[in-house]
Amino acid sequence: MPAGTGTTTIRPTAFQSVVSRIYTSMKNGAKKLLVDLFQAYFDARKNKRSTANALAFETDYESKLFQLHDDIVNRRYEPGRSVCFIVNRPVKREIFAADFRDRVVHHLLYNYLSPIFERRFLSDSYACRVGKGTHYGIKRLNHFIRSCSENYHQDCYILKLDIKGYFMSIDRNILFRKVERVLHSQAFRFSKAQLFPCNDKSLQFLKAELLFFPQKPSFHSFRELSSRGGALNPVRSKTLITSAVPKTERTSNGVKASFDFDLIFYLLRKIIFNDPTKNCAVKSGRNDWAGLPKSKSLFYAGKSKGLPIGNLTSQFFGNVYLNDFDHFVKHKLGCKYYGRYVDDFVIVHRDKEYLKSIISEIRRYLSENLGLELHSKKIYLQHHCHGVDFLGAIIKPYRIYVRNRIKGNFYGKIRWWNDQLAKARLSSNFPKVELWEKKNQAFVSSINSYLGTMVHWQTYRLRRKMLETVLFSAFLDFFGWDKTYRKVFKIGAHRV
């Protein structure tokens, strides 16, 4: 600090100086992409930072992101190798885990596309959307039943349908055309806005911001970056991002955007038409595929068919693929009480015969327009008093229960932790076993994940039974829970 002054001079490191020179020499479009890549990286590592792939990428991640930026700008980006394995819970599925570098690109693409399509999705499409999810879907279906039956005073019926092998049956060409049509429509609307600006320029400016730019310039991620030894000078980060990445500019003809449609289409082709079965490392044994239907395996999908389960983009494109179908059911068939979570959808109506009649229309639409097939063994049509199993909950009049599979999984998990504690107590140096100490947080996270799901429904007695009866009493030496059995926590001292 110079004498007589109250400010501190921060000297940038050599690497920071190089990065700053590179950044300021870029064109605005390239700067915007770089900022968006850093944001996508922070999104991708959220809740995944301790995984092996994320840790490997975090080593010198600045240079890796700059290299990824260079590959995208120069159209050299190619998806990397995926890891294929089988999971058995909650149901048996084939998973393709993309390389972390590719996951950054997935988040980049999602951040660009999601705001555009969000305006087109029905509010009752629940999967992979902010503010939605399984709990929201269950509450909405419960509301549908209560509303249609006038609070259970009138008859109403519930039709639940499922698409057979949905992700493996998605036609990539149809999917790409759907995304392409929407983006071309947006481009046309923007060009029209430039040629025919509205009188209220502030409204026109806001409209373009909402249509094309998913996120406002955020220097939050760069502040985090600099605090962790990143590349950018924290003093200059706000100035760099605010000045170098303009979202829109006011002109005499309205607004001018910096949305790179060519870049989006390039990444779309790379992600949608990438076949991970051609470049993957299989970690599960051959016997693990036993019992998995061919309709649920990407290895048996037809030409240009199927999306890998496990990618953010696959979940998002799953919503895009069925969006027109949602509008068909809601507006063409006139189903007021309709909701969908991925490939499971429900319709509530007072006329049972009407619900029977639309099954054939739904089957025809899916087959002719999307190349999909209804699962003939998963057609459920019942009076509302019999209840319905939807998204892990049993919805009945005046009450909602958790389904038996979740109960069984919770019971099995507690039994597994009981065994772990029994083995640890047999150790001669217990309770100073470091391995058990490291498992404390894992135990809390595992049990609380089940409690956090169950607390939404009428499960007080079930939660009390699991913690007070099934769980070993010896766990009370390490953990406690609140009076309503909503949360488990670690206590300070061990009493052995």
Side-chain angles (χ1 to χ4, degrees):
M1 179 185 299
T5 66
T7 60
T8 302
T9 302
I10 300 179
R11 296 179 180 272
T13 65
F15 185 75
Q16 289 176 333
S17 300
V18 171
V19 170
S20 296
R21 286 198 299 271
I22 295 174
Y23 187 80
T24 53
S25 66
M26 290 179 177
K27 296 181 179 179
N28 281 346
K31 290 176 180 178
K32 179 183 185 304
L33 175 60
L34 183 61
V35 173
D36 293 341
L37 271 175
F38 271 90
Q39 182 62 58
Y41 163 69
F42 289 117
D43 292 341
R45 82 175 190 182
K46 187 177 181 180
N47 299 324
K48 301 287 185 180
R49 197 171 183 183
S50 60
T51 62
N53 282 340
L55 290 173
F57 191 91
E58 189 167 353
T59 305
D60 196 23
Y61 70 94
E62 301 98 332
S63 61
K64 292 176 182 176
L65 288 175
F66 270 90
Q67 181 61 52
L68 178 58
H69 169 271
D70 187 59
D71 290 342
I72 293 175
V73 168
N74 294 290
R75 304 301 190 261
R76 294 195 304 262
Y77 168 74
E78 293 292 339
R81 196 178 195 189
S82 299
V83 177
C84 178
F85 55 93
I86 295 291
V87 297
N88 294 297
R89 291 188 178 182
V91 294
K92 195 162 194 171
R93 287 194 181 99
E94 178 186 81
I95 305 296
F96 282 86
D99 184 68
F100 189 84
R101 183 174 185 265
D102 296 326
R103 279 181 252 170
V104 173
V105 178
H106 294 170
H107 278 271
L108 176 73
L109 195 59
Y110 174 81
N111 289 343
Y112 283 144
L113 296 179
S114 179
I116 295 175
F117 282 90
E118 191 67 28
R119 301 171 63 251
R120 297 172 177 265
F121 291 155
L122 289 182
S123 61
D124 284 298
S125 172
Y126 313 124
C128 194
R129 296 180 65 189
V130 177
K132 308 290 185 179
T134 56
H135 297 317
Y136 179 80
I138 293 168
K139 291 176 181 177
R140 285 293 289 172
L141 179 54
N142 186 49
H143 166 73
F144 290 163
I145 297 172
R146 296 180 74 107
S147 179
C148 187
S149 66
E150 296 184 7
N151 205 23
Y152 310 116
H153 288 90
Q154 300 293 331
D155 289 334
C156 80
Y157 298 86
I158 305 165
L159 174 64
K160 188 176 76 164
L161 301 171
D162 182 87
I163 298 174
K164 186 176 181 179
Y166 175 54
F167 281 102
M168 306 309 152
S169 302
I170 291 177
D171 189 310
R172 299 175 191 170
N173 293 303
I174 295 177
L175 172 62
F176 184 81
R177 288 196 297 269
K178 285 180 175 292
V179 180
E180 185 180 41
R181 185 181 70 244
V182 172
L183 291 182
H184 280 315
S185 172
Q186 294 290 69
F188 173 77
R189 290 174 65 184
F190 175 65
S191 61
K192 185 177 180 181
Q194 286 184 308
L195 293 174
F196 307 103
C198 63
N199 294 329
D200 189 344
K201 289 187 177 181
S202 61
L203 180 62
Q204 183 67 59
F205 182 82
L206 175 61
K207 178 181 177 182
E209 182 78 17
L210 293 175
L211 284 177
F212 297 101
F213 307 108
Q215 295 175 349
K216 292 183 178 295
S218 170
F219 39 88
H220 160 73
S221 57
F222 282 88
R223 189 175 292 127
E224 180 183 352
L225 169 67
S226 61
S227 68
R228 301 181 184 281
L232 295 180
N233 190 328
V235 175
R236 299 189 59 207
S237 61
K238 179 176 179 178
T239 305
L240 281 173
I241 297 173
T242 304
S243 62
V245 195
K247 294 294 185 184
T248 55
E249 299 175 8
R250 294 176 182 268
T251 67
S252 59
N253 293 325
V255 294
K256 180 179 179 181
S258 58
F259 192 88
D260 190 349
F261 284 97
D262 181 61
L263 170 68
I264 298 303
F265 282 122
Y266 167 74
L267 292 177
L268 274 173
R269 291 187 181 93
K270 289 295 182 182
I271 299 301
I272 291 179
F273 294 106
N274 174 53
D275 186 357
T277 62
K278 305 297 183 183
N279 183 24
C280 68
V282 180
K283 283 203 168 181
S284 296
R286 183 181 297 271
N287 293 334
D288 292 335
W289 266 260
L292 183 73
K294 291 185 178 181
S295 61
K296 293 183 177 292
S297 175
L298 202 58
F299 290 100
Y300 294 97
K303 185 178 180 181
S304 297
K305 290 286 190 75
L307 294 179
I309 297 177
N311 292 344
L312 172 66
T313 48
S314 297
Q315 302 174 53
F316 173 72
F317 289 142
N319 281 339
V320 173
Y321 200 72
L322 286 178
N323 185 51
D324 291 338
F325 170 75
D326 292 339
H327 288 275
F328 168 78
V329 175
K330 190 82 171 181
H331 305 298
K332 185 74 173 179
L333 298 182
C335 298
K336 179 181 179 181
Y337 303 112
Y338 164 81
R340 178 180 62 83
Y341 187 93
V342 191
D343 60 336
D344 295 327
F345 48 98
V346 291
I347 303 171
V348 182
H349 200 275
R350 288 188 179 181
D351 190 344
K352 184 177 182 180
E353 296 303 317
Y354 173 76
L355 291 177
K356 288 181 179 179
S357 67
I358 65 174
I359 294 177
S360 59
E361 295 188 52
I362 290 174
R363 180 181 285 112
R364 186 182 308 112
Y365 182 94
L366 291 174
S367 176
E368 294 177 357
N369 295 279
L370 301 174
L372 300 175
E373 178 185 356
L374 276 183
H375 203 303
S376 59
K377 296 182 179 180
K378 294 186 178 181
I379 298 177
Y380 177 89
L381 178 57
Q382 286 287 352
H383 192 273
H384 73 83
C385 68
H386 296 293
V388 59
D389 181 352
F390 187 60
L391 304 182
I394 308 297
I395 303 173
K396 290 189 174 184
Y398 303 105
R399 59 200 186 277
I400 302 177
Y401 298 132
V402 68
R403 68 183 303 182
N404 289 334
R405 187 178 69 190
I406 296 179
K407 294 180 187 176
N409 290 344
F410 190 23
Y411 179 81
K413 181 59 68 174
I414 289 181
R415 291 293 300 271
W416 184 86
W417 279 109
N418 287 344
D419 293 340
Q420 295 298 307
L421 178 61
K423 293 177 182 178
R425 291 176 70 89
L426 293 176
S427 176
S428 59
N429 59 346
F430 183 84
K432 297 180 180 179
V433 181
E434 294 183 2
L435 181 61
W436 176 250
E437 292 290 337
K438 293 179 180 179
K439 287 184 177 181
N440 282 346
Q441 186 56 47
F443 172 83
V444 171
S445 300
S446 176
I447 301 301
N448 282 342
S449 66
Y450 283 98
L451 296 177
T453 297
M454 293 180 173
V455 75
H456 291 273
W457 323 123
Q458 285 81 357
T459 57
Y460 175 83
R461 293 182 180 179
L462 175 63
R463 300 195 308 270
R464 183 179 64 182
K465 176 182 177 181
M466 289 291 189
L467 294 180
E468 292 189 348
T469 306
V470 180
L471 191 68
F472 279 175
S473 59
F475 275 96
L476 293 175
D477 295 330
F478 305 93
F479 307 97
W481 46 77
D482 61 355
K483 295 180 180 180
T484 57
Y485 307 97
R486 291 168 173 255
K487 186 177 181 180
V488 169
F489 51 85
K490 181 182 176 182
I491 60 178
H494 296 191
R495 303 186 306 274
V496 180

